[in-house]
């Protein structure tokens, strides 16, 4: 990623370049990303194929000011962090489903950033941590996103289980991967009727007070822990994407796309 792209990406996030690649800069970048770039699956419901080509990701997220899901958001952030001097590794995770059973490998993409110690960085899991989490820390870690635990998973593979407010989030592998390794599962997530991403359009973003989410036609606003919901009519949907998420669309995402 060249200097012009770094500058434009940071402008998209509304933050300055860190003076050096340290943990404080990492914290600032993660929270800025969460508050500026929505977690969304709208491409699936607009009939747009999702590409993990880095130029395509940059065009979508930075130039067209859209969001994406984990492979897109964390995939492009890894490029920015690397360009800023951070040492970044792509990790695969298995998201826990009903009954506490982890799903398939490559179900999720998260980042390991090595500084004085290893950190978990994740801007692609929706309602999750506001800050990087210590991968080697076994005590509870609290921030504006909630309370988190990173612990060793059962077995002798060295995998790590990440929990959020007591609920299982995902099982993280420790071996490194390339972005291309996630392409098959990214395709499955956007095409399979068994994927939860194909069920309905979702757009969600962290706010200073909580979180704003538009799930199909339901607008969910959480402010200081208080949640309100409102069903939008068809005329309100495109303005809602624009006003709440900064996303300008020419048509309404549909589960039938």
């Amino acid at each position: 990623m060249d200097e012009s792209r770094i500058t434009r990406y940071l402008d998209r996030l509304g933050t300055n370049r860190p003076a050096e690649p340290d943990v404080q800069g990492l914290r600032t970048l993660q929270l800025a990303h969460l508050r500026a770039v929505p977690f969304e699956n709208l491409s699936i419901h607009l009939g747009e194929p999702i590409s993990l080509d880095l130029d395509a990701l940059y065009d979508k997220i930075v130039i067209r000011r859209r969001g994406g899901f984990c492979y897109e958001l964390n995939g492009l952030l890894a490029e920015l962090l690397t360009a800023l001097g951070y040492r970044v590794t792509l990790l695969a995770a298995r998201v826990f489903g009903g009954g506490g059973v982890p799903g398939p490998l490559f179900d999720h993409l998260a980042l390991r950033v090595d500084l004085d110690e290893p950190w978990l960085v994740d801007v692609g899991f929706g309602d999750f941590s506001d800050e990087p989490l210590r991968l080697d820390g076994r005590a509870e870690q609290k921030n504006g996103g909630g309370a988190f635990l990173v612990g060793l998973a059962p077995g002798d593979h060295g995998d790590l289980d990440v929990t959020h407010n007591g609920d299982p989030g995902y099982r993280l592998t420790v071996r490194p991967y390339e972005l291309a390794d996630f392409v098959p599962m990214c395709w499955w997530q956007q095409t399979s009727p068994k994927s939860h991403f194909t069920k309905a359009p979702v757009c969600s973003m962290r706010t200073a007070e909580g979180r704003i989410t538009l799930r199909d036609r339901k607008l969910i606003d959480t402010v200081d822990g208080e949640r309100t919901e409102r069903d939008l009519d068809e005329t309100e949907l495109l303005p809602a994407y624009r006003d709440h998420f900064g996303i300008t669309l020419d048509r309404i995402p549909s589960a039938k796309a």
Side-chain angles (χ1 to χ4, degrees), residues 94-125:
R94 305 167 64 192
V95 178
F96 283 98
V101 178
L105 191 61
F106 301 111
D107 200 22
H108 181 60
L109 163 63
L111 306 178
R112 170 180 171 142
V113 177
D114 285 287
L115 295 167
D116 56 330
E117 60 182 306
W119 295 84
L120 171 64
V121 173
D122 195 342
V123 297
F125 201 59

mmCIF file of all heavy atoms in Angstrom, residues 94-125:
data_model
loop_
_atom_site.group_PDB
_atom_site.id
_atom_site.type_symbol
_atom_site.label_atom_id
_atom_site.label_comp_id
_atom_site.label_asym_id
_atom_site.label_seq_id
_atom_site.Cartn_x
_atom_site.Cartn_y
_atom_site.Cartn_z
ATOM 1 N N ARG A 94 -12.834 -20.385 13.935
ATOM 2 C CA ARG A 94 -14.078 -21.145 13.825
ATOM 3 C C ARG A 94 -15.083 -20.499 14.762
ATOM 4 O O ARG A 94 -14.894 -20.482 15.979
ATOM 5 C CB ARG A 94 -13.831 -22.608 14.205
ATOM 6 C CG ARG A 94 -12.721 -23.270 13.402
ATOM 7 C CD ARG A 94 -12.295 -24.597 13.999
ATOM 8 N NE ARG A 94 -13.371 -25.567 13.959
ATOM 9 C CZ ARG A 94 -13.325 -26.726 14.630
ATOM 10 N NH1 ARG A 94 -12.313 -27.031 15.409
ATOM 11 N NH2 ARG A 94 -14.350 -27.555 14.537
ATOM 12 N N VAL A 95 -16.155 -19.957 14.219
ATOM 13 C CA VAL A 95 -17.142 -19.242 15.020
ATOM 14 C C VAL A 95 -18.035 -20.238 15.746
ATOM 15 O O VAL A 95 -18.518 -21.210 15.157
ATOM 16 C CB VAL A 95 -17.990 -18.308 14.128
ATOM 17 C CG1 VAL A 95 -19.053 -17.598 14.958
ATOM 18 C CG2 VAL A 95 -17.086 -17.296 13.421
ATOM 19 N N PHE A 96 -18.259 -19.987 17.038
ATOM 20 C CA PHE A 96 -19.126 -20.877 17.814
ATOM 21 C C PHE A 96 -20.582 -20.665 17.426
ATOM 22 O O PHE A 96 -21.063 -19.538 17.297
ATOM 23 C CB PHE A 96 -18.972 -20.610 19.312
ATOM 24 C CG PHE A 96 -17.717 -21.193 19.889
ATOM 25 C CD1 PHE A 96 -16.591 -20.407 20.063
ATOM 26 C CD2 PHE A 96 -17.661 -22.524 20.255
ATOM 27 C CE1 PHE A 96 -15.430 -20.936 20.603
ATOM 28 C CE2 PHE A 96 -16.507 -23.073 20.784
ATOM 29 C CZ PHE A 96 -15.380 -22.275 20.960
ATOM 30 N N GLY A 97 -21.280 -21.757 17.225
ATOM 31 C CA GLY A 97 -22.701 -21.723 16.916
ATOM 32 C C GLY A 97 -23.508 -22.176 18.117
ATOM 33 O O GLY A 97 -23.047 -22.171 19.260
ATOM 34 N N GLY A 98 -24.742 -22.591 17.845
ATOM 35 C CA GLY A 98 -25.609 -23.082 18.902
ATOM 36 C C GLY A 98 -25.029 -24.297 19.591
ATOM 37 O O GLY A 98 -24.390 -25.142 18.961
ATOM 38 N N GLY A 99 -25.204 -24.363 20.897
ATOM 39 C CA GLY A 99 -24.694 -25.492 21.651
ATOM 40 C C GLY A 99 -23.205 -25.404 21.942
ATOM 41 O O GLY A 99 -22.610 -26.374 22.417
ATOM 42 N N GLY A 100 -22.588 -24.273 21.623
ATOM 43 C CA GLY A 100 -21.169 -24.094 21.908
ATOM 44 C C GLY A 100 -20.258 -24.906 21.028
ATOM 45 O O GLY A 100 -19.132 -25.236 21.419
ATOM 46 N N VAL A 101 -20.715 -25.235 19.821
ATOM 47 C CA VAL A 101 -19.907 -26.031 18.885
ATOM 48 C C VAL A 101 -19.254 -25.093 17.873
ATOM 49 O O VAL A 101 -19.945 -24.310 17.217
ATOM 50 C CB VAL A 101 -20.780 -27.071 18.160
ATOM 51 C CG1 VAL A 101 -19.947 -27.862 17.155
ATOM 52 C CG2 VAL A 101 -21.436 -28.008 19.170
ATOM 53 N N PRO A 102 -17.923 -25.159 17.711
ATOM 54 C CA PRO A 102 -17.274 -24.282 16.733
ATOM 55 C C PRO A 102 -17.560 -24.729 15.309
ATOM 56 O O PRO A 102 -17.646 -25.925 15.015
ATOM 57 C CB PRO A 102 -15.793 -24.409 17.079
ATOM 58 C CG PRO A 102 -15.657 -25.732 17.758
ATOM 59 C CD PRO A 102 -16.955 -25.967 18.476
ATOM 60 N N GLY A 103 -17.711 -23.763 14.415
ATOM 61 C CA GLY A 103 -17.981 -24.044 13.010
ATOM 62 C C GLY A 103 -16.721 -24.432 12.263
ATOM 63 O O GLY A 103 -15.686 -24.757 12.854
ATOM 64 N N PRO A 104 -16.758 -24.364 10.928
ATOM 65 C CA PRO A 104 -15.616 -24.787 10.124
ATOM 66 C C PRO A 104 -14.467 -23.784 10.181
ATOM 67 O O PRO A 104 -14.660 -22.599 10.451
ATOM 68 C CB PRO A 104 -16.201 -24.861 8.709
ATOM 69 C CG PRO A 104 -17.328 -23.882 8.724
ATOM 70 C CD PRO A 104 -17.913 -23.956 10.104
ATOM 71 N N LEU A 105 -13.268 -24.278 9.897
ATOM 72 C CA LEU A 105 -12.106 -23.412 9.796
ATOM 73 C C LEU A 105 -12.311 -22.418 8.653
ATOM 74 O O LEU A 105 -13.000 -22.725 7.676
ATOM 75 C CB LEU A 105 -10.853 -24.252 9.544
ATOM 76 C CG LEU A 105 -9.506 -23.525 9.673
ATOM 77 C CD1 LEU A 105 -9.314 -22.984 11.088
ATOM 78 C CD2 LEU A 105 -8.365 -24.466 9.320
ATOM 79 N N PHE A 106 -11.733 -21.239 8.791
ATOM 80 C CA PHE A 106 -11.870 -20.129 7.842
ATOM 81 C C PHE A 106 -13.252 -19.479 7.895
ATOM 82 O O PHE A 106 -13.590 -18.671 7.041
ATOM 83 C CB PHE A 106 -11.552 -20.551 6.395
ATOM 84 C CG PHE A 106 -10.166 -21.093 6.215
ATOM 85 C CD1 PHE A 106 -9.962 -22.438 5.926
ATOM 86 C CD2 PHE A 106 -9.066 -20.266 6.336
ATOM 87 C CE1 PHE A 106 -8.687 -22.943 5.766
ATOM 88 C CE2 PHE A 106 -7.780 -20.764 6.179
ATOM 89 C CZ PHE A 106 -7.582 -22.107 5.892
ATOM 90 N N ASP A 107 -14.042 -19.837 8.924
ATOM 91 C CA ASP A 107 -15.347 -19.203 9.114
ATOM 92 C C ASP A 107 -15.180 -17.724 9.434
ATOM 93 O O ASP A 107 -16.086 -16.927 9.204
ATOM 94 C CB ASP A 107 -16.068 -19.918 10.261
ATOM 95 C CG ASP A 107 -17.560 -19.708 10.240
ATOM 96 O OD1 ASP A 107 -18.095 -19.382 9.170
ATOM 97 O OD2 ASP A 107 -18.202 -19.882 11.292
ATOM 98 N N HIS A 108 -14.007 -17.378 9.959
ATOM 99 C CA HIS A 108 -13.730 -15.991 10.333
ATOM 100 C C HIS A 108 -12.250 -15.703 10.129
ATOM 101 O O HIS A 108 -11.409 -16.597 10.250
ATOM 102 C CB HIS A 108 -14.119 -15.756 11.797
ATOM 103 C CG HIS A 108 -13.907 -14.348 12.278
ATOM 104 N ND1 HIS A 108 -14.536 -13.269 11.707
ATOM 105 C CD2 HIS A 108 -13.108 -13.843 13.267
ATOM 106 C CE1 HIS A 108 -14.152 -12.159 12.331
ATOM 107 N NE2 HIS A 108 -13.284 -12.489 13.265
ATOM 108 N N LEU A 109 -11.946 -14.459 9.811
ATOM 109 C CA LEU A 109 -10.571 -13.980 9.665
ATOM 110 C C LEU A 109 -10.303 -12.917 10.722
ATOM 111 O O LEU A 109 -11.070 -11.954 10.847
ATOM 112 C CB LEU A 109 -10.352 -13.388 8.266
ATOM 113 C CG LEU A 109 -9.124 -12.493 8.049
ATOM 114 C CD1 LEU A 109 -7.834 -13.272 8.256
ATOM 115 C CD2 LEU A 109 -9.153 -11.896 6.642
ATOM 116 N N ALA A 110 -9.254 -13.098 11.501
ATOM 117 C CA ALA A 110 -8.825 -12.117 12.496
ATOM 118 C C ALA A 110 -7.325 -11.882 12.321
ATOM 119 O O ALA A 110 -6.654 -12.590 11.556
ATOM 120 C CB ALA A 110 -9.147 -12.599 13.905
ATOM 121 N N LEU A 111 -6.790 -10.898 13.040
ATOM 122 C CA LEU A 111 -5.397 -10.501 12.864
ATOM 123 C C LEU A 111 -4.619 -10.637 14.159
ATOM 124 O O LEU A 111 -5.100 -10.292 15.236
ATOM 125 C CB LEU A 111 -5.308 -9.048 12.388
ATOM 126 C CG LEU A 111 -6.100 -8.671 11.134
ATOM 127 C CD1 LEU A 111 -5.941 -7.187 10.848
ATOM 128 C CD2 LEU A 111 -5.667 -9.508 9.945
ATOM 129 N N ARG A 112 -3.394 -11.116 14.025
ATOM 130 C CA ARG A 112 -2.414 -11.077 15.105
ATOM 131 C C ARG A 112 -1.407 -9.988 14.773
ATOM 132 O O ARG A 112 -0.872 -9.951 13.661
ATOM 133 C CB ARG A 112 -1.715 -12.425 15.247
ATOM 134 C CG ARG A 112 -0.515 -12.390 16.202
ATOM 135 C CD ARG A 112 0.155 -13.744 16.310
ATOM 136 N NE ARG A 112 1.411 -13.639 17.050
ATOM 137 C CZ ARG A 112 1.851 -14.561 17.914
ATOM 138 N NH1 ARG A 112 1.134 -15.647 18.139
ATOM 139 N NH2 ARG A 112 3.005 -14.391 18.539
ATOM 140 N N VAL A 113 -1.175 -9.098 15.723
ATOM 141 C CA VAL A 113 -0.181 -8.040 15.547
ATOM 142 C C VAL A 113 0.856 -8.192 16.656
ATOM 143 O O VAL A 113 0.518 -8.155 17.840
ATOM 144 C CB VAL A 113 -0.822 -6.644 15.598
ATOM 145 C CG1 VAL A 113 0.247 -5.557 15.475
ATOM 146 C CG2 VAL A 113 -1.848 -6.490 14.474
ATOM 147 N N ASP A 114 2.110 -8.385 16.267
ATOM 148 C CA ASP A 114 3.182 -8.599 17.233
ATOM 149 C C ASP A 114 3.915 -7.302 17.527
ATOM 150 O O ASP A 114 4.506 -6.683 16.630
ATOM 151 C CB ASP A 114 4.158 -9.650 16.705
ATOM 152 C CG ASP A 114 3.595 -11.051 16.812
ATOM 153 O OD1 ASP A 114 3.532 -11.564 17.944
ATOM 154 O OD2 ASP A 114 3.209 -11.620 15.782
ATOM 155 N N LEU A 115 3.871 -6.892 18.804
ATOM 156 C CA LEU A 115 4.645 -5.744 19.299
ATOM 157 C C LEU A 115 5.540 -6.290 20.410
ATOM 158 O O LEU A 115 6.253 -7.260 20.190
ATOM 159 C CB LEU A 115 3.698 -4.646 19.773
ATOM 160 C CG LEU A 115 2.835 -4.008 18.660
ATOM 161 C CD1 LEU A 115 1.714 -3.178 19.242
ATOM 162 C CD2 LEU A 115 3.707 -3.173 17.736
ATOM 163 N N ASP A 116 5.483 -5.705 21.596
ATOM 164 C CA ASP A 116 6.213 -6.293 22.713
ATOM 165 C C ASP A 116 5.588 -7.616 23.140
ATOM 166 O O ASP A 116 6.216 -8.450 23.793
ATOM 167 C CB ASP A 116 6.243 -5.311 23.893
ATOM 168 C CG ASP A 116 4.839 -4.883 24.320
ATOM 169 O OD1 ASP A 116 3.949 -4.849 23.458
ATOM 170 O OD2 ASP A 116 4.650 -4.573 25.515
ATOM 171 N N GLU A 117 4.341 -7.805 22.755
ATOM 172 C CA GLU A 117 3.599 -9.041 22.976
ATOM 173 C C GLU A 117 2.583 -9.172 21.853
ATOM 174 O O GLU A 117 2.304 -8.210 21.137
ATOM 175 C CB GLU A 117 2.901 -9.012 24.341
ATOM 176 C CG GLU A 117 1.910 -7.867 24.512
ATOM 177 C CD GLU A 117 1.268 -7.850 25.889
ATOM 178 O OE1 GLU A 117 0.706 -8.903 26.281
ATOM 179 O OE2 GLU A 117 1.318 -6.821 26.557
ATOM 180 N N PRO A 118 2.010 -10.352 21.643
ATOM 181 C CA PRO A 118 1.042 -10.516 20.555
ATOM 182 C C PRO A 118 -0.331 -9.979 20.922
ATOM 183 O O PRO A 118 -0.799 -10.168 22.048
ATOM 184 C CB PRO A 118 1.005 -12.034 20.346
ATOM 185 C CG PRO A 118 1.384 -12.614 21.666
ATOM 186 C CD PRO A 118 2.350 -11.643 22.285
ATOM 187 N N TRP A 119 -0.989 -9.319 19.951
ATOM 188 C CA TRP A 119 -2.308 -8.720 20.150
ATOM 189 C C TRP A 119 -3.284 -9.249 19.107
ATOM 190 O O TRP A 119 -2.905 -9.469 17.949
ATOM 191 C CB TRP A 119 -2.216 -7.199 20.031
ATOM 192 C CG TRP A 119 -1.388 -6.554 21.089
ATOM 193 C CD1 TRP A 119 -0.033 -6.391 21.091
ATOM 194 C CD2 TRP A 119 -1.857 -6.005 22.326
ATOM 195 N NE1 TRP A 119 0.376 -5.762 22.241
ATOM 196 C CE2 TRP A 119 -0.723 -5.513 23.018
ATOM 197 C CE3 TRP A 119 -3.105 -5.865 22.909
ATOM 198 C CZ2 TRP A 119 -0.802 -4.896 24.261
ATOM 199 C CZ3 TRP A 119 -3.201 -5.247 24.152
ATOM 200 C CH2 TRP A 119 -2.065 -4.773 24.804
ATOM 201 N N LEU A 120 -4.522 -9.427 19.527
ATOM 202 C CA LEU A 120 -5.605 -9.788 18.625
ATOM 203 C C LEU A 120 -6.315 -8.515 18.179
ATOM 204 O O LEU A 120 -6.817 -7.750 19.007
ATOM 205 C CB LEU A 120 -6.601 -10.716 19.329
ATOM 206 C CG LEU A 120 -7.903 -11.026 18.583
ATOM 207 C CD1 LEU A 120 -7.619 -11.790 17.288
ATOM 208 C CD2 LEU A 120 -8.859 -11.823 19.480
ATOM 209 N N VAL A 121 -6.342 -8.288 16.871
ATOM 210 C CA VAL A 121 -7.024 -7.137 16.288
ATOM 211 C C VAL A 121 -8.157 -7.660 15.415
ATOM 212 O O VAL A 121 -7.946 -8.550 14.587
ATOM 213 C CB VAL A 121 -6.046 -6.275 15.457
ATOM 214 C CG1 VAL A 121 -6.787 -5.179 14.706
ATOM 215 C CG2 VAL A 121 -4.973 -5.679 16.361
ATOM 216 N N ASP A 122 -9.360 -7.102 15.594
ATOM 217 C CA ASP A 122 -10.514 -7.614 14.856
ATOM 218 C C ASP A 122 -11.536 -6.495 14.662
ATOM 219 O O ASP A 122 -12.151 -6.027 15.619
ATOM 220 C CB ASP A 122 -11.153 -8.783 15.608
ATOM 221 C CG ASP A 122 -12.105 -9.595 14.753
ATOM 222 O OD1 ASP A 122 -12.541 -9.085 13.705
ATOM 223 O OD2 ASP A 122 -12.411 -10.743 15.134
ATOM 224 N N VAL A 123 -11.701 -6.056 13.419
ATOM 225 C CA VAL A 123 -12.729 -5.054 13.099
ATOM 226 C C VAL A 123 -13.823 -5.670 12.231
ATOM 227 O O VAL A 123 -14.626 -4.949 11.640
ATOM 228 C CB VAL A 123 -12.117 -3.825 12.383
ATOM 229 C CG1 VAL A 123 -11.122 -3.108 13.291
ATOM 230 C CG2 VAL A 123 -11.451 -4.218 11.060
ATOM 231 N N GLY A 124 -13.870 -7.002 12.185
ATOM 232 C CA GLY A 124 -14.797 -7.670 11.279
ATOM 233 C C GLY A 124 -15.701 -8.689 11.930
ATOM 234 O O GLY A 124 -16.142 -9.640 11.272
ATOM 235 N N PHE A 125 -16.017 -8.504 13.226
ATOM 236 C CA PHE A 125 -16.869 -9.479 13.911
ATOM 237 C C PHE A 125 -18.128 -8.830 14.465
ATOM 238 O O PHE A 125 -18.777 -9.363 15.353
ATOM 239 C CB PHE A 125 -16.083 -10.174 15.031
ATOM 240 C CG PHE A 125 -16.667 -11.503 15.458
ATOM 241 C CD1 PHE A 125 -16.824 -12.531 14.549
ATOM 242 C CD2 PHE A 125 -17.053 -11.711 16.774
ATOM 243 C CE1 PHE A 125 -17.350 -13.758 14.948
ATOM 244 C CE2 PHE A 125 -17.581 -12.924 17.179
ATOM 245 C CZ PHE A 125 -17.736 -13.959 16.252
#
